[in-house]
Amino acid sequence: MRIYNTSSGIIINHNNQYFLTEEKSWDKFVNRSNLFKVVSSELQQLQPNEDLQALTNSAVLTPIGNQEVWASGVTYFRSREARIEESKEAKGGDFYARVYDADRPELFFKSPPYRTVGPGGNIRIRADSKWNVPEPELTLFICSAGTIEGYTIGNDVSSRDIEGENPLYLPQAKSYNGATALGPCLLVTDGPIDPDTDISIEIFRDSEVLFKEKISINQMKRKHKDLVSYLFRELDFPHGTYLMTGTGIIPTDDFTLKSGDLVKITISEIGSLINIVA
């Protein structure tokens, strides 16, 4: 099932039927264990409404309430290689090679909810950066009990030149206004997402496709539950949290985002997250 946060309330698309929930609080609705079974039971008390389908396209908000957004790094081999390459001059590449092979993953704070944009929102590139890229990522929703309850699409916009200059600059390269996008909905499944699921990205400039690529999430080295386990070791999330799981798609080194670019990230089971660079 797909759960949408909209200006008209929380809408659920399940088995091609659309339902409007009685609960108005996104935090209360999604932050529950066994979310698929709980919501499936609640739907039996609701009447489907075909008119709600239009709202899942026109009135969709960011699927977030008071959740933080965290992120994982160097979880794909392609990401490892890119990080090593961009950090050569700073002699920081060894850090990324070591974390790829280590038991402990790279985890970092990405965004509070008020800096996170949704479908159709404007993502941004830093004014003091010359090399900026989108990073398409499967993003987990984890409830406060520490269980994975759903999935969405994330765009971890990053300033590669700033991160490459010095690994200690990671927060500046990753966390700033408009650097995080989520949406368009929360996919809630009765079990883990299919590991053969593809993530694809298209970048348009002046209506032409500038870059296009896809990768299967089975190319991730780390397991989702292992990432969650490390994240929850010393942190509490009273409203649940989102965790981006890393990217295996990185444009060529001569590419950088520009104002007006349109970025479309698709995971077929979830939909497409579309944003324009401000």
PDB file of all heavy atoms in Angstrom, residues 126-151:
ATOM      1  N   ARG A 126      24.661  24.596  -3.465  1.00  0.00           N
ATOM      2  CA  ARG A 126      25.330  25.625  -2.672  1.00  0.00           C
ATOM      3  C   ARG A 126      25.971  26.676  -3.580  1.00  0.00           C
ATOM      4  O   ARG A 126      26.570  26.354  -4.607  1.00  0.00           O
ATOM      5  CB  ARG A 126      26.406  24.995  -1.794  1.00  0.00           C
ATOM      6  CG  ARG A 126      25.869  24.141  -0.659  1.00  0.00           C
ATOM      7  CD  ARG A 126      27.026  23.708   0.241  1.00  0.00           C
ATOM      8  NE  ARG A 126      27.686  24.854   0.836  1.00  0.00           N
ATOM      9  CZ  ARG A 126      27.682  25.144   2.147  1.00  0.00           C
ATOM     10  NH1 ARG A 126      27.033  24.346   2.991  1.00  0.00           N
ATOM     11  NH2 ARG A 126      28.303  26.191   2.604  1.00  0.00           N
ATOM     12  N   ALA A 127      25.878  27.928  -3.170  1.00  0.00           N
ATOM     13  CA  ALA A 127      26.489  29.025  -3.931  1.00  0.00           C
ATOM     14  C   ALA A 127      28.005  28.962  -3.899  1.00  0.00           C
ATOM     15  O   ALA A 127      28.671  29.473  -4.799  1.00  0.00           O
ATOM     16  CB  ALA A 127      26.005  30.371  -3.389  1.00  0.00           C
ATOM     17  N   ASP A 128      28.567  28.309  -2.851  1.00  0.00           N
ATOM     18  CA  ASP A 128      30.025  28.238  -2.738  1.00  0.00           C
ATOM     19  C   ASP A 128      30.576  26.902  -3.213  1.00  0.00           C
ATOM     20  O   ASP A 128      31.683  26.517  -2.858  1.00  0.00           O
ATOM     21  CB  ASP A 128      30.465  28.512  -1.293  1.00  0.00           C
ATOM     22  CG  ASP A 128      29.837  27.551  -0.291  1.00  0.00           C
ATOM     23  OD1 ASP A 128      28.992  26.721  -0.682  1.00  0.00           O
ATOM     24  OD2 ASP A 128      30.197  27.622   0.905  1.00  0.00           O
ATOM     25  N   SER A 129      29.803  26.184  -4.030  1.00  0.00           N
ATOM     26  CA  SER A 129      30.250  24.905  -4.566  1.00  0.00           C
ATOM     27  C   SER A 129      30.172  24.931  -6.090  1.00  0.00           C
ATOM     28  O   SER A 129      29.267  25.537  -6.669  1.00  0.00           O
ATOM     29  CB  SER A 129      29.384  23.766  -4.025  1.00  0.00           C
ATOM     30  OG  SER A 129      29.701  22.545  -4.659  1.00  0.00           O
ATOM     31  N   LYS A 130      31.102  24.254  -6.742  1.00  0.00           N
ATOM     32  CA  LYS A 130      31.137  24.207  -8.199  1.00  0.00           C
ATOM     33  C   LYS A 130      30.815  22.828  -8.764  1.00  0.00           C
ATOM     34  O   LYS A 130      30.755  22.660  -9.985  1.00  0.00           O
ATOM     35  CB  LYS A 130      32.522  24.647  -8.694  1.00  0.00           C
ATOM     36  CG  LYS A 130      32.882  26.084  -8.338  1.00  0.00           C
ATOM     37  CD  LYS A 130      34.260  26.447  -8.851  1.00  0.00           C
ATOM     38  CE  LYS A 130      34.614  27.887  -8.487  1.00  0.00           C
ATOM     39  NZ  LYS A 130      35.973  28.247  -8.966  1.00  0.00           N
ATOM     40  N   TRP A 131      30.603  21.839  -7.872  1.00  0.00           N
ATOM     41  CA  TRP A 131      30.413  20.464  -8.341  1.00  0.00           C
ATOM     42  C   TRP A 131      29.316  19.832  -7.492  1.00  0.00           C
ATOM     43  O   TRP A 131      29.567  19.389  -6.378  1.00  0.00           O
ATOM     44  CB  TRP A 131      31.724  19.702  -8.236  1.00  0.00           C
ATOM     45  CG  TRP A 131      31.724  18.339  -8.832  1.00  0.00           C
ATOM     46  CD1 TRP A 131      30.789  17.790  -9.661  1.00  0.00           C
ATOM     47  CD2 TRP A 131      32.737  17.341  -8.656  1.00  0.00           C
ATOM     48  NE1 TRP A 131      31.152  16.511 -10.007  1.00  0.00           N
ATOM     49  CE2 TRP A 131      32.338  16.216  -9.413  1.00  0.00           C
ATOM     50  CE3 TRP A 131      33.924  17.299  -7.942  1.00  0.00           C
ATOM     51  CZ2 TRP A 131      33.101  15.047  -9.457  1.00  0.00           C
ATOM     52  CZ3 TRP A 131      34.684  16.148  -7.980  1.00  0.00           C
ATOM     53  CH2 TRP A 131      34.276  15.029  -8.734  1.00  0.00           C
ATOM     54  N   ASN A 132      28.089  19.828  -8.023  1.00  0.00           N
ATOM     55  CA  ASN A 132      26.930  19.389  -7.249  1.00  0.00           C
ATOM     56  C   ASN A 132      26.168  18.304  -8.001  1.00  0.00           C
ATOM     57  O   ASN A 132      25.950  18.407  -9.218  1.00  0.00           O
ATOM     58  CB  ASN A 132      26.001  20.570  -6.986  1.00  0.00           C
ATOM     59  CG  ASN A 132      26.689  21.680  -6.230  1.00  0.00           C
ATOM     60  OD1 ASN A 132      26.823  21.641  -5.022  1.00  0.00           O
ATOM     61  ND2 ASN A 132      27.152  22.706  -6.969  1.00  0.00           N
ATOM     62  N   VAL A 133      25.745  17.280  -7.280  1.00  0.00           N
ATOM     63  CA  VAL A 133      25.064  16.157  -7.919  1.00  0.00           C
ATOM     64  C   VAL A 133      23.866  15.705  -7.077  1.00  0.00           C
ATOM     65  O   VAL A 133      23.860  15.857  -5.854  1.00  0.00           O
ATOM     66  CB  VAL A 133      26.012  14.948  -8.097  1.00  0.00           C
ATOM     67  CG1 VAL A 133      27.166  15.296  -9.028  1.00  0.00           C
ATOM     68  CG2 VAL A 133      26.534  14.442  -6.762  1.00  0.00           C
ATOM     69  N   PRO A 134      22.851  15.129  -7.730  1.00  0.00           N
ATOM     70  CA  PRO A 134      21.797  14.455  -6.995  1.00  0.00           C
ATOM     71  C   PRO A 134      22.251  13.030  -6.678  1.00  0.00           C
ATOM     72  O   PRO A 134      23.065  12.456  -7.417  1.00  0.00           O
ATOM     73  CB  PRO A 134      20.636  14.440  -7.994  1.00  0.00           C
ATOM     74  CG  PRO A 134      21.315  14.360  -9.329  1.00  0.00           C
ATOM     75  CD  PRO A 134      22.619  15.107  -9.186  1.00  0.00           C
ATOM     76  N   GLU A 135      21.761  12.484  -5.599  1.00  0.00           N
ATOM     77  CA  GLU A 135      22.056  11.095  -5.263  1.00  0.00           C
ATOM     78  C   GLU A 135      20.740  10.381  -4.978  1.00  0.00           C
ATOM     79  O   GLU A 135      20.126  10.594  -3.928  1.00  0.00           O
ATOM     80  CB  GLU A 135      23.015  11.017  -4.071  1.00  0.00           C
ATOM     81  CG  GLU A 135      24.381  11.609  -4.369  1.00  0.00           C
ATOM     82  CD  GLU A 135      25.415  11.342  -3.272  1.00  0.00           C
ATOM     83  OE1 GLU A 135      25.085  10.634  -2.301  1.00  0.00           O
ATOM     84  OE2 GLU A 135      26.541  11.857  -3.394  1.00  0.00           O
ATOM     85  N   PRO A 136      20.262   9.542  -5.914  1.00  0.00           N
ATOM     86  CA  PRO A 136      18.994   8.837  -5.751  1.00  0.00           C
ATOM     87  C   PRO A 136      19.129   7.662  -4.789  1.00  0.00           C
ATOM     88  O   PRO A 136      20.009   6.810  -4.964  1.00  0.00           O
ATOM     89  CB  PRO A 136      18.684   8.365  -7.169  1.00  0.00           C
ATOM     90  CG  PRO A 136      20.027   8.191  -7.811  1.00  0.00           C
ATOM     91  CD  PRO A 136      20.914   9.247  -7.207  1.00  0.00           C
ATOM     92  N   GLU A 137      18.262   7.614  -3.783  1.00  0.00           N
ATOM     93  CA  GLU A 137      18.424   6.603  -2.746  1.00  0.00           C
ATOM     94  C   GLU A 137      17.093   6.030  -2.269  1.00  0.00           C
ATOM     95  O   GLU A 137      16.133   6.785  -2.040  1.00  0.00           O
ATOM     96  CB  GLU A 137      19.172   7.208  -1.545  1.00  0.00           C
ATOM     97  CG  GLU A 137      20.480   7.878  -1.942  1.00  0.00           C
ATOM     98  CD  GLU A 137      21.366   8.246  -0.762  1.00  0.00           C
ATOM     99  OE1 GLU A 137      21.104   7.766   0.345  1.00  0.00           O
ATOM    100  OE2 GLU A 137      22.319   9.029  -0.979  1.00  0.00           O
ATOM    101  N   LEU A 138      17.048   4.721  -2.130  1.00  0.00           N
ATOM    102  CA  LEU A 138      15.949   4.103  -1.406  1.00  0.00           C
ATOM    103  C   LEU A 138      16.057   4.556   0.046  1.00  0.00           C
ATOM    104  O   LEU A 138      17.128   4.513   0.651  1.00  0.00           O
ATOM    105  CB  LEU A 138      16.042   2.578  -1.466  1.00  0.00           C
ATOM    106  CG  LEU A 138      14.991   1.825  -0.646  1.00  0.00           C
ATOM    107  CD1 LEU A 138      13.606   1.979  -1.272  1.00  0.00           C
ATOM    108  CD2 LEU A 138      15.354   0.349  -0.512  1.00  0.00           C
ATOM    109  N   THR A 139      14.942   5.027   0.591  1.00  0.00           N
ATOM    110  CA  THR A 139      14.949   5.585   1.936  1.00  0.00           C
ATOM    111  C   THR A 139      13.993   4.813   2.821  1.00  0.00           C
ATOM    112  O   THR A 139      12.837   4.587   2.459  1.00  0.00           O
ATOM    113  CB  THR A 139      14.552   7.074   1.896  1.00  0.00           C
ATOM    114  OG1 THR A 139      15.482   7.770   1.035  1.00  0.00           O
ATOM    115  CG2 THR A 139      14.593   7.695   3.270  1.00  0.00           C
ATOM    116  N   LEU A 140      14.490   4.393   3.976  1.00  0.00           N
ATOM    117  CA  LEU A 140      13.701   3.601   4.921  1.00  0.00           C
ATOM    118  C   LEU A 140      12.941   4.513   5.868  1.00  0.00           C
ATOM    119  O   LEU A 140      13.462   5.540   6.299  1.00  0.00           O
ATOM    120  CB  LEU A 140      14.617   2.696   5.751  1.00  0.00           C
ATOM    121  CG  LEU A 140      15.704   1.887   5.026  1.00  0.00           C
ATOM    122  CD1 LEU A 140      16.536   1.123   6.052  1.00  0.00           C
ATOM    123  CD2 LEU A 140      15.096   0.951   4.005  1.00  0.00           C
ATOM    124  N   PHE A 141      11.716   4.115   6.210  1.00  0.00           N
ATOM    125  CA  PHE A 141      11.051   4.725   7.359  1.00  0.00           C
ATOM    126  C   PHE A 141      11.100   3.713   8.494  1.00  0.00           C
ATOM    127  O   PHE A 141      10.660   2.570   8.355  1.00  0.00           O
ATOM    128  CB  PHE A 141       9.600   5.113   7.088  1.00  0.00           C
ATOM    129  CG  PHE A 141       8.911   5.580   8.346  1.00  0.00           C
ATOM    130  CD1 PHE A 141       9.245   6.806   8.912  1.00  0.00           C
ATOM    131  CD2 PHE A 141       8.002   4.767   9.016  1.00  0.00           C
ATOM    132  CE1 PHE A 141       8.668   7.220  10.105  1.00  0.00           C
ATOM    133  CE2 PHE A 141       7.417   5.181  10.197  1.00  0.00           C
ATOM    134  CZ  PHE A 141       7.738   6.406  10.746  1.00  0.00           C
ATOM    135  N   ILE A 142      11.637   4.140   9.624  1.00  0.00           N
ATOM    136  CA  ILE A 142      11.807   3.270  10.786  1.00  0.00           C
ATOM    137  C   ILE A 142      11.000   3.855  11.931  1.00  0.00           C
ATOM    138  O   ILE A 142      11.135   5.055  12.242  1.00  0.00           O
ATOM    139  CB  ILE A 142      13.296   3.175  11.188  1.00  0.00           C
ATOM    140  CG1 ILE A 142      14.159   2.856   9.966  1.00  0.00           C
ATOM    141  CG2 ILE A 142      13.508   2.133  12.272  1.00  0.00           C
ATOM    142  CD1 ILE A 142      15.439   3.628   9.894  1.00  0.00           C
ATOM    143  N   CYS A 143      10.137   3.059  12.536  1.00  0.00           N
ATOM    144  CA  CYS A 143       9.328   3.593  13.638  1.00  0.00           C
ATOM    145  C   CYS A 143      10.185   3.693  14.895  1.00  0.00           C
ATOM    146  O   CYS A 143      11.330   3.227  14.938  1.00  0.00           O
ATOM    147  CB  CYS A 143       8.083   2.727  13.875  1.00  0.00           C
ATOM    148  SG  CYS A 143       8.374   1.189  14.759  1.00  0.00           S
ATOM    149  N   SER A 144       9.634   4.309  15.934  1.00  0.00           N
ATOM    150  CA  SER A 144      10.401   4.567  17.151  1.00  0.00           C
ATOM    151  C   SER A 144      10.841   3.281  17.841  1.00  0.00           C
ATOM    152  O   SER A 144      11.787   3.301  18.635  1.00  0.00           O
ATOM    153  CB  SER A 144       9.592   5.429  18.116  1.00  0.00           C
ATOM    154  OG  SER A 144       8.345   4.834  18.404  1.00  0.00           O
ATOM    155  N   ALA A 145      10.182   2.153  17.531  1.00  0.00           N
ATOM    156  CA  ALA A 145      10.584   0.865  18.108  1.00  0.00           C
ATOM    157  C   ALA A 145      11.788   0.265  17.389  1.00  0.00           C
ATOM    158  O   ALA A 145      12.316  -0.764  17.814  1.00  0.00           O
ATOM    159  CB  ALA A 145       9.411  -0.112  18.073  1.00  0.00           C
ATOM    160  N   GLY A 146      12.228   0.899  16.285  1.00  0.00           N
ATOM    161  CA  GLY A 146      13.422   0.433  15.579  1.00  0.00           C
ATOM    162  C   GLY A 146      13.156  -0.562  14.469  1.00  0.00           C
ATOM    163  O   GLY A 146      14.088  -1.184  13.966  1.00  0.00           O
ATOM    164  N   THR A 147      11.905  -0.699  14.029  1.00  0.00           N
ATOM    165  CA  THR A 147      11.576  -1.625  12.947  1.00  0.00           C
ATOM    166  C   THR A 147      11.293  -0.865  11.655  1.00  0.00           C
ATOM    167  O   THR A 147      10.717   0.224  11.673  1.00  0.00           O
ATOM    168  CB  THR A 147      10.347  -2.479  13.312  1.00  0.00           C
ATOM    169  OG1 THR A 147       9.257  -1.623  13.675  1.00  0.00           O
ATOM    170  CG2 THR A 147      10.669  -3.395  14.481  1.00  0.00           C
ATOM    171  N   ILE A 148      11.720  -1.444  10.535  1.00  0.00           N
ATOM    172  CA  ILE A 148      11.483  -0.840   9.228  1.00  0.00           C
ATOM    173  C   ILE A 148      10.017  -1.037   8.869  1.00  0.00           C
ATOM    174  O   ILE A 148       9.538  -2.168   8.749  1.00  0.00           O
ATOM    175  CB  ILE A 148      12.393  -1.476   8.159  1.00  0.00           C
ATOM    176  CG1 ILE A 148      13.870  -1.277   8.522  1.00  0.00           C
ATOM    177  CG2 ILE A 148      12.096  -0.883   6.782  1.00  0.00           C
ATOM    178  CD1 ILE A 148      14.824  -2.074   7.649  1.00  0.00           C
ATOM    179  N   GLU A 149       9.306   0.068   8.693  1.00  0.00           N
ATOM    180  CA  GLU A 149       7.869  -0.005   8.439  1.00  0.00           C
ATOM    181  C   GLU A 149       7.482   0.468   7.043  1.00  0.00           C
ATOM    182  O   GLU A 149       6.348   0.245   6.615  1.00  0.00           O
ATOM    183  CB  GLU A 149       7.112   0.822   9.484  1.00  0.00           C
ATOM    184  CG  GLU A 149       7.303   0.336  10.909  1.00  0.00           C
ATOM    185  CD  GLU A 149       6.747  -1.066  11.146  1.00  0.00           C
ATOM    186  OE1 GLU A 149       5.865  -1.496  10.375  1.00  0.00           O
ATOM    187  OE2 GLU A 149       7.214  -1.732  12.100  1.00  0.00           O
ATOM    188  N   GLY A 150       8.383   1.111   6.329  1.00  0.00           N
ATOM    189  CA  GLY A 150       8.029   1.585   4.999  1.00  0.00           C
ATOM    190  C   GLY A 150       9.233   2.104   4.242  1.00  0.00           C
ATOM    191  O   GLY A 150      10.361   2.145   4.764  1.00  0.00           O
ATOM    192  N   TYR A 151       8.969   2.511   3.006  1.00  0.00           N
ATOM    193  CA  TYR A 151      10.032   2.942   2.100  1.00  0.00           C
ATOM    194  C   TYR A 151       9.553   4.143   1.293  1.00  0.00           C
ATOM    195  O   TYR A 151       8.381   4.258   0.930  1.00  0.00           O
ATOM    196  CB  TYR A 151      10.396   1.817   1.115  1.00  0.00           C
ATOM    197  CG  TYR A 151      10.720   0.504   1.784  1.00  0.00           C
ATOM    198  CD1 TYR A 151       9.706  -0.408   2.074  1.00  0.00           C
ATOM    199  CD2 TYR A 151      12.031   0.176   2.120  1.00  0.00           C
ATOM    200  CE1 TYR A 151      10.002  -1.621   2.686  1.00  0.00           C
ATOM    201  CE2 TYR A 151      12.324  -1.042   2.736  1.00  0.00           C
ATOM    202  CZ  TYR A 151      11.308  -1.926   3.018  1.00  0.00           C
ATOM    203  OH  TYR A 151      11.588  -3.127   3.626  1.00  0.00           O
TER     204      TYR A 151
END
